[in-house]
Amino acid sequence: MVAIRVHDLNYAYSDGTVALEHVSFEIARGESVALIGPNGAGKSTLLLHLNGILHSKKSRGAVEILGEPIDPRKVHKMPKKIGIVFQDPDDMLFMPLLGDDVAFGPINLGVANDEVKRRVKDSLERVGLAGYEERVSHHLSGGEKKRAAIATVLSMDPEIIAMDEPTANLDPKSRAELIEILKGLKSEGKTLIIITHDVNAIPELADRVIVLHKTIVADGTTREVFADTEMLVAAGLDVPTIMQFFEVLQAFGYPCDVLPLSIEDAVRNLTRTIENGDGHVHLHIHKHTHSGVDSARSKYQHHSG
Ligand SMILES: Nc1ncnc2c1ncn2[C@@H]1O[C@H](COP(=O)(O)OP(=O)(O)OP(=O)(O)O)[C@@H](O)[C@H]1O
Ligand SMILES: [Mg+2]
């Protein structure tokens, strides 16, 4: 079944800025998709169309969630189907106490009191903010706010979860914890859309990557999209650092047909290569090595202007 269907979506802001042009894609239920694109590419704008927030006379095209077109009169019911974590957590925290912010969604969906309490506790625990019910939302730190914003969506238990930059502003431990939360949601069968500039996190989180630059410039498996260096660099984007490093290793003679996407992939790759080489891996320097290294590195260099 199709979780999200967007067909020929176009949107311009009232000052005339064109944010989306002919955007079409489908996401199946249970899929986990990373949405990437440079600053100003229209990613957040697209997200706001998925629950009808930006539905207006200025939007042209179709958006269907779980098989139904978005009905502007029923936008208040959307959070049950799709929960959206905005880029700026301040747009999601507006009650005095965090517990009230996390309870707000389920109360509005008519969830019974006891169940609301249970969900608030559970959602705060999941994002590592156990016991934060009585904390003042707008006093939380940047990273705490980001996690709090995610809790306000988890408490509604939506079928589809879309997150705008979930790992931004998080310290390494919180980032790792958040990646675990997202993996947990993925294995529960939730449909996930993750907007991120954190390319190193993508291989762990998403099976598919959509590249948006006003319109969709690439859509494929994570491996396919990361293999298209030219397209990525043209869009001002990167591949995971480990892929870049293995391209450098290739210049030193490391035999590797398929570049690893993650550290786990790299460990498997090295293990296989060393086992096939009788316990050794042979690297060498010859006359083309350094030019090879330079060209591997320059592929991903971004130039201003
Ligand atoms: N309220 C608005 N009024 C006018 N233009 C806007 C408005 N909001 C966004 N834009 C413009 O629309 C374009 C798309 O913005 P959007 O926020 O969707 O980009 P993004 O891909 O989310 O970027 P980032 O990675 O920086 O978050 C940009 O050119 C932006 O300046
Ligand atoms: Mg954005």
Side-chain angles (χ1 to χ4, degrees), residues 13-15 17-19 37-46 87 164-165 197:
Y13 282 101
S14 49
D15 66 355
T17 306
V18 177
N39 292 139
K43 303 178 301 294
S44 297
T45 305
L46 174 59
Q87 188 161 16
D164 203 340
E165 287 287 351
H197 293 292

Side-chain angles (χ1 to χ4, degrees), residues 98-115:
L98 181 55
D100 298 327
D101 270 321
V102 183
F104 187 85
I107 290 173
N108 270 346
L109 292 174
V111 173
N113 260 348
D114 284 356
E115 171 68 7

Side-chain angles (χ1 to χ4, degrees), residues 13 46 54 58 62 123 127 157-158 161 164 167 172 195 200 232 260:
Y13 282 101
L46 174 59
L54 260 191
K58 289 208 156 52
S123 310
V127 299
D157 195 26
I161 303 180
D164 203 340
T167 58
I195 293 181
N200 291 312
L232 289 169

Side-chain angles (χ1 to χ4, degrees), residues 39-100:
N39 292 139
K43 303 178 301 294
S44 297
T45 305
L46 174 59
L47 217 61
L48 296 177
H49 277 86
L50 299 183
N51 65 357
I53 298 177
L54 260 191
H55 192 90
S56 74
K57 278 177 276 180
K58 289 208 156 52
S59 314
R60 281 182 295 116
V63 178
E64 282 174 22
I65 302 297
L66 298 169
E68 282 181 47
I70 292 178
D71 180 346
R73 289 160 304 176
K74 290 192 192 155
V75 165
H76 60 284
K77 295 225 170 113
M78 290 306 289
K80 211 171 174 161
K81 295 184 180 175
I82 177 164
I84 295 196
V85 179
F86 298 141
Q87 188 161 16
D88 182 354
D90 284 328
D91 292 340
M92 306 193 70
L93 305 169
F94 46 85
M95 302 290 275
L97 300 180
L98 181 55
D100 298 327

